[in-house]
Amino acid sequence: MLQKETKEKLNFSYARRLEQLPGYLFVEIDRKKKELIKQGVDIINLGIGDPDQPTFPHIVEAMKKALGNSQYHHYPMGTGLEQFRQVSACWYKERFGVEINFAKEIYTLIGSKEGIGHFPLAFINPGDVVLIPEPAYPVYTSSTIFAGGTPYYLPLLEKNNFLPDFSSIPQAIREKAKLLFLNYPNNPTAAVADKRFFEEVVRFADKNEIIVVHDAAYSEIYFEEEKPLSFLEVEGAKEVGVEFHSLSKTYNMTGWRIGFVVGNEKLIKGLSRIKDNLDSGVFDCIQVAGMSALEESQEAVEKIRQLYKRRRDVLVEGLIDLGWQVKMPQATFYVWTKVPDGSSSAQCATKLLEEAGIICTPGKGFGPSGEGYVRFALTVEEDRLKQSLDRISKVSF
Amino acid sequence: MANEKNFSVCYSDKLKRLPPYLFGAIDILKKAAYDKKLDVIDLGMGNPDLSTPKHIIERLCDTLGNHPRSHRYPQAKGMPKFRKTVAQWCKNRFDIELDPENEVLALIGSKEGIAHLCMAYLDSGDIALAPNPAYPVHFNGILLAGGTVYDLPLLPENNYLPDLGKIPEEIAIKAKLMFLNYPNNPTTAVVDNLDFFKEVVSFAKKYNIIVCHDNAYSELCFDDYNAPSFLQVPGAKEIGIEFFSFSKTYNMAGWRLGFVVGNAEILRPLEKLKSYLDYGVFTAIQLAGVCALKDSQECVKETVKIYQKRRDIMVKGLNKLGWQVKNPKATMYLWVALPEKYKHLSSLQFAELLIEKTGIAVAPGAGFGTYGDAYVRIALITHNNRFHDALLRLKKFLK
């Protein structure tokens, strides 16, 4: 008989998809940080991209008001309130000049992370290749692995302005590839993409029948006259792809968990069939708050941009004064910089943590091509950034 | 574009394995009826119609307005205060001991927890035991993870409890997960005492199977019935976990808040998987949940009273019309066999006929699994007065 002894400790083996995951780097940094805080060290956390400013008051008020309507207490529709989708489509039209059919080309998300995390489940079979940039936000890899896909990494190199080089992808990989992740403005490199690049992406995707998933979570955090583009602005993009948006960074709503995906109807439909079986959508009251965010004056967003811009200037200019090689980022609230002394990114991060009480993110955590870089998040007040510079100046590199 | 052929989108095998969504057919008819301005009585969805209690809403408003820190990323596994409150609630309600640090996890509703648990444990081809009929996530979660569903038929002659003795040994040995749900959706069955759960614990220990008990309806009990927790059985925490939801208890379906408690080792991979997929529940909503569990439970009693009244109206009314239905001890549903006259129809055909002829929407039993096909589920979810309307229409229909 195969049955086990009841007395022995029961053994619950995990699914393989969990064992194939690389370590989650932010958890490690958090653990070290906690240790130092316990020791009473004054830590400046430039590690996690969590906006430090509160959600704009009119959004909070919209939520409070919505709570008074008991209709909104019931199960939401998975796809999202019709009004939320309409407002999102209007915002899209106004911001990017792209027409979106709110009935079929938008789906409301519990934050863009879960949308990206679940998207490959709808399209990827075991053995399918997924093209993933690196360094990158770790969720592209984990979602690929969860669906049984095989990641093929596209290095983002400084010499290519942190854009992937499609011509370097072998023919055999192109044939097996089913999906391509992209993210501009980019986390962690802070790079932006131009129209020519997106046109190339559409040609590449169309020729090789590859679904394009563009993560545009940072589209509204920009500092130049020329605003970041939507992938869908390019002709033919909607035939091959979708774009994920988040309200987290734009409106300081990271905790609220709301985002949306727009684009190709069949792709949206696939994701919706997965999600209908996984969750029940976003609390209607939060959607109403999201509508207020997208619909009302965008003045507060402009103020947020100014705030990050001032912080960016302080940090980047300060680092340059200290001899670091940093480019002025045009978008995102990250500064991606080469390690000053040519040591590894982990050595640099550890040094900054131990000698200066500063948390940054070692670039290698985002992928092998991130080696030699660290990422600073501009999510602390200006005076704390000045203090950071002061502390860094005392670290001997 | 130079390329003439159409870009083709092909869905994954996982998605293609999902059974057709039977409630979709009813949704279409419902929409058609609404479009014709017909007066639809919707008893199809299990979507509580009552409002969230005021004090819970006020707590949320207070947090949003006065604690901007709550606007930032939440702690994914649930904030310590939420987890402690859950542990205390379980202690008060079921007299079970839980370690808030490792044995409690906050969920964006129990539905996502159940589906993601499958992803954390099941590889392609792994077997999981699921009741049939069942809440669809119990089997669709398995399918989406690539697993294979082994049906545990819930039959009236066994009081809708699965017959564990009928599970072939080779299946039991291979099975990794088992789903259970009492008070049960859709059959409304309950366990009268802990005997069945005890049997489950020894079965699960013998075959090394993780038991996932969905206790979403634990607080919607009628008359003198009080639903137990699976974890009350000695040894249950060694092999099991239990899912709870705020949706029904506090009319918070829209808020998306639930939790899972039980074996720390079983919960760990779920927490890990979720850390790659979401950031947890909005802190302000977690604090509203704390308020719900901690404050007076009078509101729960009120809700139960309302459902009980509706149950009484409907059960009495249907029996009077000759449509035999048992008095459920819990949940907000009635599970009724198709009337004699319509026994030749499938549950979907019957539900379609019913909405066409009477404007009453019910859930076809087949939507919950093949063993549900001789039944429909009637949700006790509309204004009290509407049940009299529904009965009048049914009287005509059944003549």
Side-chain angles (χ1 to χ4, degrees), chain A residues 9-10 16-17 121-122, chain B residues 12 111 119 123 239 265 275:
Chain A
K9 197 166 188 295
L10 295 175
R16 279 192 295 274
R17 57 173 71 82
L121 285 175
Chain B
S12 68
K111 180 177 177 181
M119 285 181 67
D123 284 316
I239 45 89
E265 255 185 88
S275 78

Side-chain angles (χ1 to χ4, degrees), chain B residues 291-307:
Chain B
C291 165
L293 293 177
K294 261 192 175 164
D295 275 20
S296 157
Q297 301 299 301
E298 270 313 303
C299 59
V300 184
K301 284 189 194 144
E302 281 305 308
T303 299
V304 170
K305 217 190 269 172
I306 291 169
Y307 284 126

Side-chain angles (χ1 to χ4, degrees), chain A residues 152-214:
Chain A
Y152 180 88
Y153 291 105
L154 309 176
L156 302 184
L157 305 176
E158 191 154 0
K159 64 171 186 185
N160 299 329
N161 298 316
F162 300 110
L163 299 171
D165 175 9
F166 296 120
S167 70
S168 71
I169 304 170
Q171 187 57 35
I173 295 293
R174 290 173 195 223
E175 278 163 20
K176 278 198 269 179
K178 277 195 75 178
L179 201 149
L180 161 69
F181 279 110
L182 289 172
N183 161 224
Y184 294 98
N186 186 260
N187 172 21
T189 70
V192 291
D194 57 11
K195 197 162 187 188
R196 212 150 95 210
F197 172 72
F198 281 149
E199 282 166 352
E200 192 194 339
V201 170
V202 171
R203 276 196 303 274
F204 173 79
D206 192 52
K207 188 170 167 210
N208 298 291
E209 296 223 331
I210 295 172
I211 298 164
V212 179
V213 175
H214 184 240

Side-chain angles (χ1 to χ4, degrees), chain B residues 161-284:
Chain B
L161 300 174
D163 184 349
L164 302 180
K166 283 241 169 85
I167 302 169
E169 177 117 42
E170 69 269 21
I171 295 291
I173 288 168
K174 279 202 245 165
K176 286 188 81 174
L177 299 178
M178 167 155 72
F179 285 102
L180 291 172
N181 162 222
Y182 295 96
N184 185 261
N185 174 22
T187 70
T188 76
V190 297
V191 291
D192 287 321
N193 50 48
L194 292 177
D195 290 352
F196 172 68
F197 285 161
K198 281 180 189 160
E199 199 191 317
V200 169
V201 170
S202 59
F203 175 83
K205 278 191 177 173
K206 183 170 172 190
Y207 294 108
N208 199 21
I209 298 171
I210 296 170
V211 178
C212 311
H213 185 239
D214 181 352
N215 212 346
Y217 298 91
S218 68
E219 305 314 298
L220 295 193
C221 299
F222 307 131
D223 310 320
D224 295 327
Y225 183 71
N226 200 13
S229 157
F230 173 70
L231 298 176
Q232 278 171 283
V233 175
K237 212 164 66 177
E238 285 158 47
I239 45 89
I241 56 175
E242 190 157 47
F243 290 89
F244 289 90
S245 164
F246 287 73
S247 297
K248 281 82 186 183
T249 314
Y250 301 104
N251 296 311
M252 288 172 76
W255 298 49
R256 312 312 310 129
L257 180 63
F259 55 89
V260 55
V261 297
N263 186 288
E265 255 185 88
I266 296 176
L267 293 180
R268 200 163 301 131
L270 175 60
E271 184 192 341
K272 184 173 176 190
L273 183 102
K274 273 172 56 62
S275 78
Y276 289 88
L277 287 173
D278 62 58
Y279 285 105
V281 180
F282 190 9
T283 302

Side-chain angles (χ1 to χ4, degrees), chain A residues 333-348:
Chain A
F333 46 56
Y334 300 114
V335 171
W336 181 247
T337 156
K338 274 213 169 107
V339 169
D341 59 350
S343 60
S344 79
S345 62
Q347 281 167 335
C348 176

